[in-house]
Amino acid sequence: MAKKPASGQEMWGGRFAAKPDEVMEAINASIDVDKRMAAEDIQGSRAHVRMLADSKIVSDTDRDAILEGLDQVEQEIAGGDFPFRKDLEDIHMNIEARLKEIIGEPAGRLHTARSRNDQVATDFRLWTRQALQTRADQTRGLMEALLEQADLHADTVMPGFTHLQTAQPVTFGHHLMAYVEMFSRDRSRFLDCQDRMNESPLGAAALAGTGFPIDRQKTAADLGFKAPMANSLDAVSARDFAVEAVSACSICAMHLSRLAEEIVIWASAQFHFVRLSDAWSTGSSIMPQKRNPDAAELVRAKTGRIYGALQALLTVLKGLPLAYSKDMQEDKELTFLAFDALDLCLASMTGMVSSWTVDKPAMRAAAAHGFSTATDLADYLVRELGLPFREAHHVTGATVKLAEDKGCDLAELSIDDLKSIEPRLTDAVYSVLTVEASVNSRQSYGGTSPVRVREQVSRWKELLS
C-alpha cells in the first residue's frame, strides 16, 4: 500500500514522504496573492469539465457532480466562508482540495488533461483581459469628464506654456482636449492589448499538450477566447501579455501624472487657476489656511509604483528558459499592483476634474502677461506689411524689449512707441494684441480657437457615444 503523503502535498505527493520546511512553504505559497483569481479559476474549470464530458473523457455524472461542487465553492468564496489554506500553495489547489471535500472521488477527475501550468496561464489571461476592459472603461469615464469641462471652457483664455514660460494664449478647453487625445490612445492600448492576448492556453497541459482527445476550440470559445494558442510551449510560458498590459498601465499613468502636476500648479496660490473641491483636498495639522492637492500629488507618486511593477516584471522574465519556471509566480502580484494603482489614479483624476472650480479671471489675467501675443504681432507684420518672417521676428523682439523696459504689456504701448520700431504700423495693430483676438485667430485644424475646440468636443462625444 502506498504511503500517504504529508499534509500539503496531496495534490503533488507520491514521490514525497516528508513535509516541506516551513520557510519553503512560505516562499512557495502564493494563495494570498492569487486567490483574487478564484472566479477565473472556477470559470476555467467549468469550461474544462464540460469539454471533458462532451469528449467522453469523463462521465456526465462526474461532470454534474463537479459543476455542482464548483457552485458551492463559488458561494463559499463569495460569502467569505472558504477555508483558504497556505499549505495548499495556491488558489488552484485550494479549490480542488475543497471540491474533493465536498464531492469526493469525482473531484480527482477534474484535472484530467490539464496541468497547473496551463490552468494558471488561463486564469491569469482571463483576469488580465477583464482588468484591461475595466481600465478602458475608466479611461473613457475620465475622457467624458474632460470633455464636459472642455465644452464648458471652450472660450476660457489661459496662458499656454513652453518650458513653463508664457508662450501664447490658448483656451482652457483646448488644453483639456490635449489630455482627451492622450487618454484616447491609452484606452486604445488597453483594448489592443486585450485583443492580442485573447487566446486560450487551456489544453496545453504542462508544456507538450496532452494525449487525451480534448477539444481546445470548445474550451476557448466557452471562455470567450478567439482561439486556442497554437503552440503548447508558448501557451504555458508566455507572459508578454502581462508585460504589455502593465506597459499600457505605465503609459496611462505617465499621462495622469502630467495632468496631476498641472493640477498641483494650477491649484497653488500663485496661479489660482483651479480650486479643487473639498472632496479632493486636504488640510494641514498646524496651518489652517492650507488646501493641499493631495489626491493629485498621490496620482503623481503612484506612477512610480506602476513603473516599478513594469521593470520588476521584465526583470523576473528576462532570463527564463522555456517552458515554465516558478519565477512566474511573481508575475501576478506585480500585475495586480499596477492595475490596482491605476484604478485609484483614474478614479481620483475623474473625481478631481469633474468637481473643480475654474477661476476664469485669474486665467485671463495670466494669459495677458508675459508678452503672450508677441507671435500674433509677428504674424501681423508678415500678413499686413509683407515683412519676411525673420525680419518680423526681429521687429517683434525689439517691441517686446521696449515693453519690458517700460514695464507694460504689448497692448499698453502707445502707437508712437510702436512706430518708433516699425513706422508703418497703425492703430489697426491693436486688434491682434489682445488674448481673445489671439485665440480666435488660431482656426487651423487642431487649433485653440473656441470654434475648433467645440468641433473637437462634439467629435469626441459622438465617438464615445
Side-chain angles (χ1 to χ4, degrees), residues 40-340:
E40 289 76 19
D41 196 71
I42 292 170
Q43 182 185 3
S45 290
R46 284 172 173 151
H48 184 64
V49 76
R50 284 193 289 261
M51 179 276 297
L52 290 177
D54 288 349
S55 302
K56 308 304 181 185
I57 298 170
V58 302
S59 69
D60 290 351
T61 301
D62 283 344
R63 174 201 61 200
D64 294 343
I66 290 169
L67 290 173
E68 186 175 341
L70 289 172
D71 288 344
Q72 182 174 332
V73 170
E74 183 177 55
Q75 291 166 12
E76 289 177 358
I77 293 173
D81 302 320
F82 187 85
F84 291 108
R85 291 168 50 188
K86 272 196 172 181
D87 62 307
L88 291 173
E89 296 185 15
D90 56 31
I91 188 60
H92 325 294
M93 291 172 69
N94 265 265
I95 288 177
E96 188 171 336
R98 180 60 182 143
L99 184 65
K100 184 177 181 181
E101 292 173 354
I102 296 170
I103 68 171
E105 186 265 346
R109 304 189 189 284
L110 173 58
H111 211 52
T112 305
R114 75 173 182 184
S115 161
R116 271 196 297 174
N117 292 356
D118 63 335
Q119 186 178 1
V120 67
T122 302
D123 292 358
F124 195 18
R125 281 179 183 262
L126 288 171
W127 188 93
T128 305
R129 186 178 69 185
Q130 181 55 51
L132 286 164
Q133 183 62 56
T134 301
R135 298 309 169 276
D137 293 343
Q138 287 180 296
T139 306
R140 172 180 173 154
L142 175 55
M143 290 172 64
E144 290 171 342
L146 288 164
L147 283 170
E148 290 304 315
Q149 291 291 330
D151 199 8
L152 188 62
H153 294 287
D155 54 4
T156 298
V157 180
M158 69 174 290
F161 299 98
T162 59
H163 310 279
L164 204 54
Q165 304 292 314
T166 299
Q168 295 177 329
V170 296
T171 58
F172 190 44
H174 186 60
H175 195 108
L176 296 179
M177 287 302 295
Y179 284 104
V180 171
E181 296 289 339
M182 292 182 206
F183 291 123
S184 75
R185 294 190 293 272
D186 293 324
R187 182 170 179 263
S188 70
R189 271 184 282 271
F190 293 137
L191 296 175
D192 287 348
C193 178
Q194 183 189 57
D195 180 66
R196 196 162 17 257
M197 64 163 285
N198 197 27
E199 295 180 337
S200 174
L202 193 57
L207 74 162
T210 178
F212 290 95
I214 61 172
D215 185 345
R216 293 191 62 208
Q217 282 75 17
K218 178 175 176 55
T219 51
D222 199 350
L223 294 170
F225 290 112
K226 293 185 296 185
M229 295 183 73
N231 183 283
S232 61
L233 285 167
D234 180 49
V236 299
S237 64
R239 293 296 185 270
D240 56 317
F241 70 91
V243 173
E244 184 178 2
V246 177
S247 176
C249 289
S250 298
I251 297 171
C252 183
M254 177 266 292
H255 290 149
L256 286 164
S257 185
R258 295 185 71 178
L259 179 53
E261 169 70 5
E262 296 209 289
I263 290 174
V264 171
I265 293 170
W266 295 341
S268 68
Q270 290 72 26
F271 274 71
H272 208 267
F273 286 1
V274 301
R275 179 185 175 92
L276 296 180
S277 70
D278 289 351
W280 297 102
S281 304
T282 64
S284 166
S285 62
I286 65 169
M287 296 172 284
Q289 83 280 11
K290 296 291 294 298
R291 289 179 61 85
N292 299 325
D294 282 7
E297 291 170 357
L298 287 166
V299 167
R300 189 175 58 186
K302 286 186 184 297
T303 301
R305 180 179 296 204
I306 298 170
Y307 288 178
L310 175 60
Q311 187 59 50
L313 185 57
L314 286 165
T315 304
V316 165
L317 298 171
K318 70 175 182 62
L320 298 185
L322 297 181
Y324 182 84
S325 298
K326 196 70 169 183
D327 310 52
M328 291 182 180
Q329 185 166 285
E330 296 295 304
D331 57 5
K332 285 163 284 299
E333 184 172 13
L334 296 167
T335 304
F336 296 164
L337 183 153
F339 274 98
D340 289 348

Side-chain angles (χ1 to χ4, degrees), residues 427-460:
D427 288 343
V429 72
Y430 291 105
S431 66
V432 301
L433 297 183
T434 67
V435 291
E436 287 80 12
S438 176
V439 297
N440 283 320
S441 72
R442 308 292 175 180
Q443 295 202 17
S444 57
Y445 182 79
T448 192
S449 165
V451 173
R452 297 285 89 83
V453 172
R454 290 192 173 98
E455 284 178 355
Q456 291 300 320
V457 169
S458 296
R459 179 177 76 90
W460 270 111

